[in-house]
Amino acid sequence: MRIRTIVLGACSALALVAAFSMGASVIVTTRLVQANAESATMLSAMRNHMTADMFHDGLRGILYQGLYAQKVGDTATLQARVTELEEMSQAFRGAIADQNALDLQPDVRAALGTVAAPLEEYITLAATIIDLAVAGKTDEAASQLPAFGDRFSALETAMEALSEKLEQSNATAQASAASVAQLANYVTFGMFVLQIALCIGLVFGAIRLVAAPVARLSQALREPLVRGRFGEMQLRRIVELAGMTRYCHIEEQNQTVDADGRALTP
């Protein structure tokens, strides 16, 4: 019964350690997945923002090139700039739309919402100015350039605010990922220490509760008198278990001791 209790206790301890390890692994894995997802989202957001910022400056450059081509009478270059302006405008809108599709933090999404209006005003005015240049209305196109500069600055302000929010959110995501990685290291080390402690406890428990009694029994059975007494006990148990006590008689040896306390046999 004692050995059974020991085995049950050891199995229970192993089951608890296994359950704790599994639970800790699931929690850490879930947090790692979340941290990786946040990092991937912020990486995409930063890439889209850099692309949009490039289009912000590039679109103005294309407009000025078109105006210069119209001034010098280079119709082919002017038409090429018109086409390029349309393509870049669509790509600019697409980069911002890609931002909206991401799972961004509320403050980042709020900053992103402030970009939509100045973006459309900026693109619309650029298209208006280059259309005037194509129509030969040079003075009217030139008169719109100050307003275009204001639209450029307004959009730049909104883009800078969005950039700051993205950088803050990215820093938070990186800190979270680092924290989860550190937690994973702590959990792994803790599980290792716990398993080592459990193994040491099982070894010492086995030595104390199993190996030591078996060693004492083995040592005792080396004594002739003990072997004889042990044999008598086993014989009696066999007869009792077989239900033969009514049909046979077992007489055990009388054990006495001498004056010095040593066991004597008949």
Side-chain angles (χ1 to χ4, degrees):
M1 186 64 181
R2 188 176 182 183
I3 294 179
R4 179 183 177 184
T5 303
I6 295 171
V7 172
L8 289 176
C11 292
S12 299
L14 289 173
L16 288 174
V17 171
F20 183 75
S21 300
M22 181 62 69
S25 299
V26 169
I27 293 174
V28 171
T29 301
T30 301
R31 292 193 60 183
L32 281 174
V33 170
Q34 293 175 348
N36 289 335
E38 291 176 359
S39 297
T41 298
M42 293 311 306
L43 181 62
S44 298
M46 295 294 290
R47 181 174 61 249
N48 293 336
H49 184 73
M50 291 176 63
T51 301
D53 193 51
M54 179 184 66
F55 291 150
H56 176 224
D57 293 325
L59 194 143
R60 181 176 63 171
I62 292 172
L63 175 62
Y64 287 162
Q65 290 174 16
L67 293 176
Y68 179 78
Q70 191 274 338
K71 183 177 182 180
V72 299
D74 189 350
T75 305
T77 300
L78 176 59
Q79 291 298 327
R81 297 291 85 81
V82 170
T83 302
E84 191 174 356
L85 183 66
E86 293 176 353
E87 293 175 349
M88 184 168 290
S89 297
Q90 293 301 319
F92 199 171
R93 291 188 179 100
I96 299 301
D98 290 340
Q99 296 283 61
N100 286 318
L102 297 175
D103 184 16
L104 300 173
Q105 296 296 324
D107 57 339
V108 177
R109 188 163 295 281
L112 181 61
T114 63
V115 174
L119 170 65
E120 287 303 319
E121 293 175 358
Y122 177 65
I123 291 177
T124 300
L125 187 55
T128 300
I129 293 172
I130 203 164
D131 287 342
L132 291 172
V134 171
K137 300 178 180 180
T138 305
D139 294 338
E140 189 173 349
S143 67
Q144 296 293 326
L145 290 179
F148 179 76
D150 293 339
R151 299 292 188 278
F152 179 88
S153 298
L155 180 57
E156 185 175 31
T157 300
M159 294 283 287
E160 288 178 353
L162 175 59
S163 178
E164 291 178 0
K165 293 298 182 180
L166 285 172
E167 290 176 358
Q168 293 174 2
S169 184
N170 184 53
T172 301
Q174 290 180 350
S176 177
S179 176
V180 172
Q182 188 175 25
L183 175 63
N185 292 332
Y186 288 154
V187 170
T188 301
F189 181 75
M191 291 299 97
F192 174 75
V193 172
L194 184 60
Q195 291 172 3
I196 292 297
L198 179 60
C199 290
I200 293 175
L202 290 175
V203 169
F204 278 101
I207 292 174
R208 180 178 179 181
L209 301 176
V210 178
V214 170
R216 289 194 297 270
L217 177 61
S218 176
Q219 181 66 30
L221 290 176
R222 294 176 185 175
E223 300 292 334
L225 292 178
V226 175
R227 286 201 305 271
R229 180 60 180 166
F230 184 75
E232 291 176 348
M233 291 173 57
Q234 295 300 316
L235 177 60
R236 178 177 293 279
R237 288 179 179 176
I238 292 173
V239 171
E240 291 175 351
L241 291 174
M244 299 293 293
T245 53
R246 292 183 298 174
Y247 306 103
C248 62
H249 174 71
I250 300 175
E251 184 176 349
E252 299 177 359
Q253 296 186 67
N254 294 323
Q255 293 188 359
T256 58
V257 295
D258 59 13
D260 296 328
R262 292 176 298 182
L264 299 175
T265 56

